[in-house]
Amino acid sequence: MVPWASLAPTYDRAPRIVIWETTRACALACRHCRAEAQPRRDSLELSTAEAFTLIDQVAGFGKPLFVLTGGDPMMRDDLYELVEYGCAHGLPVSISPSATGRLTDEAIRRLAAGGIRRIALSLDAPDAAEHDAFRGVRGSYARTLRSVRVAREHGISVQINTTLSRINVHRIEEFGDLLAGLDVAMWSAFFVLPIGRATADMCLSAQETERAFARLAAVAEGARFDVKTTEAPHYRRYLMQHAASAPPRERPAGAAAPPLRFAGIGDGRGFVFVSHQGDVYPSGFLPLRMGNVRERSLGELYRDAPVMQRLRRPETFGGKCGLCKFQHTCGGSRARAYLASGDAFASDPSCAYVSTAAGSLAHV
């Protein structure tokens, strides 16, 4: 077993994951959209030349994961040039396209030819009716499943992203059953935040989040794909806590290990987000602007911005997050803390646990 509790990377010098919002244009109308995507591209998006400069800088970080997202990156006419340029510079490039008419079999073939390592596709319900209603376009579910198959035929690893909310959290086991029949490498469950088009009534309470963790862990136990969370870093704490207390047993043949390879990555801590206009944020969900890559290098903004530096020091956080023994492998969702209180360094209100004086965990 990996000694998770002993892993406390600081990521002071460079990020391990760089997300670039290539555009905010998208043909879907998703109920939760962070970017509040629009049908047309913004004239102030980074140009192709500016994007190449950004890629040069990212490649200088030691080959972090470089993710092209949006909106829908397929809306950019220069997308294949960008993919080829990034891959030619040795970056592991992933893409998160929308399941629209632009995501054709030929488009996926070209992405594979350009060197794309992984494609992240969204499924927000395990059936067509509910998924298509959530995404706002009929046929999105069927196109997503077809794209999974075509991507695998071309050798692209597939990640499924699911926005977990009160709308669909009761269907976690159904998602697991669906994904068991698909050849996917990872299931990423995004715990929705009240930002963009998402509303507070969609978000899970701390107790609901904890129950969701238990159900995700149960799916992961027998799965042949990794299960991870986004904006719920305390899932790491849950896994660590329960691994420590559970009796030893054999993992099913072929089952994946918990994906804690980059333990403790979080907003500004191993992770950085670049907007379509070049603005730099600790993440796409934490709206604290650090600067713009048109004015300063991404490396300088990541390393030197005071907010970024403090995000890498969870022992300085307020409330129970600053006292928690899991602070370096979890740290709490900084975006959720900010959206709830206006303070990015406050406690994460979606966590149901607090460290006691004896170092054990107790319900809040």
Side-chain angles (χ1 to χ4, degrees):
M1 181 178 295
V2 177
W4 295 325
S6 68
L7 297 177
T10 59
Y11 304 119
D12 282 338
R13 302 304 303 165
R16 294 296 297 271
I17 301 174
V18 178
I19 309 289
W20 174 36
E21 177 191 64
T22 58
T23 181
R24 284 199 171 178
C26 182
L28 298 182
C30 303
R31 291 173 63 179
H32 71 296
C33 184
R34 170 202 59 79
E36 298 182 274
Q38 306 298 317
R40 294 181 180 82
R41 292 178 59 189
D42 185 342
S43 62
L44 297 179
E45 288 175 5
L46 294 183
S47 67
T48 303
E50 289 172 325
F52 285 169
T53 299
L54 174 63
I55 292 170
D56 289 340
Q57 293 176 17
V58 174
F61 293 152
K63 309 301 187 293
L65 177 63
F66 186 50
V67 182
L68 307 177
T69 186
D72 180 10
M74 302 300 299
M75 296 288 280
R76 284 193 65 123
D77 297 333
D78 59 356
L79 175 64
Y80 302 110
E81 294 177 68
L82 299 174
V83 169
E84 291 171 3
Y85 191 84
C87 292
H89 282 64
L91 289 173
V93 182
S94 298
I95 190 168
S96 182
S98 300
T100 72
R102 288 177 177 261
L103 191 62
T104 62
D105 294 4
E106 174 60 15
I108 294 173
R109 185 200 67 78
R110 290 187 67 184
L111 290 173
I116 281 288
R117 296 276 191 92
R118 176 170 288 188
I119 187 169
L121 299 166
S122 293
L123 281 174
D124 294 305
D127 66 84
E130 189 170 324
H131 171 87
D132 289 356
F134 190 86
R135 290 279 156 179
V137 173
R138 182 176 297 178
S140 174
Y141 179 86
R143 184 173 288 114
T144 298
L145 293 187
R146 177 178 178 83
S147 296
V148 170
R149 178 178 60 80
V150 175
R152 294 302 300 126
E153 288 174 353
H154 289 288
I156 302 176
S157 173
V158 175
Q159 173 176 319
I160 295 297
N161 294 341
T162 296
T163 300
L164 275 187
S165 69
R166 286 181 171 156
I167 297 170
N168 63 357
V169 69
H170 63 288
R171 307 189 72 179
I172 284 175
E173 292 77 12
E174 294 177 69
F175 279 110
D177 292 342
L178 172 64
L179 298 184
L182 303 176
D183 185 11
V184 303
M186 179 177 286
W187 182 26
S188 178
F190 164 64
F191 283 65
V192 72
L193 291 163
I195 192 170
R197 295 191 187 121
T199 54
D201 62 340
M202 298 172 68
C203 302
L204 303 181
S205 69
Q207 289 71 28
E208 289 168 332
T209 297
E210 198 72 13
R211 291 194 290 271
F213 287 166
R215 295 166 65 195
L216 286 171
V219 169
E221 186 66 29
R224 295 179 181 272
F225 49 84
D226 285 335
V227 177
K228 68 176 286 290
T229 58
T230 299
E231 292 303 337
H234 38 315
Y235 181 57
R236 299 187 188 109
R237 183 267 304 159
Y238 179 91
L239 292 177
M240 293 162 61
Q241 175 196 2
H242 286 266
S245 62
R249 60 179 173 175
E250 293 293 324
R251 179 172 292 274
L260 296 179
R261 292 181 294 276
F262 305 138
I265 282 183
D267 296 359
R269 186 172 63 178
F271 187 101
V272 69
F273 178 91
V274 182
S275 82
H276 64 298
Q277 294 184 356
D279 291 324
V280 175
Y281 298 88
S283 82
F285 302 99
L286 180 52
L288 297 177
R289 181 181 178 274
M290 302 295 105
N292 191 286
V293 296
R294 286 173 167 141
E295 301 161 358
R296 294 182 63 190
S297 75
L298 180 59
E300 288 179 309
L301 293 170
Y302 175 84
R303 287 190 304 270
D304 301 337
V307 169
M308 300 289 261
Q309 291 180 343
R310 188 176 174 192
L311 287 168
R312 296 191 285 272
R313 300 292 178 268
E315 66 276 7
T316 71
F317 296 171
K320 63 183 182 181
C321 286
L323 300 173
C324 185
K325 69 177 182 178
F326 296 103
Q327 61 187 217
H328 285 283
T329 48
C330 170
S333 168
R334 297 299 94 214
R336 199 176 304 276
Y338 179 81
L339 293 169
S341 69
D343 181 359
F345 307 105
S347 292
D348 179 348
S350 70
C351 183
Y353 284 84
V354 61
S355 293
T356 68
S360 60
L361 292 175
H363 279 288
V364 173

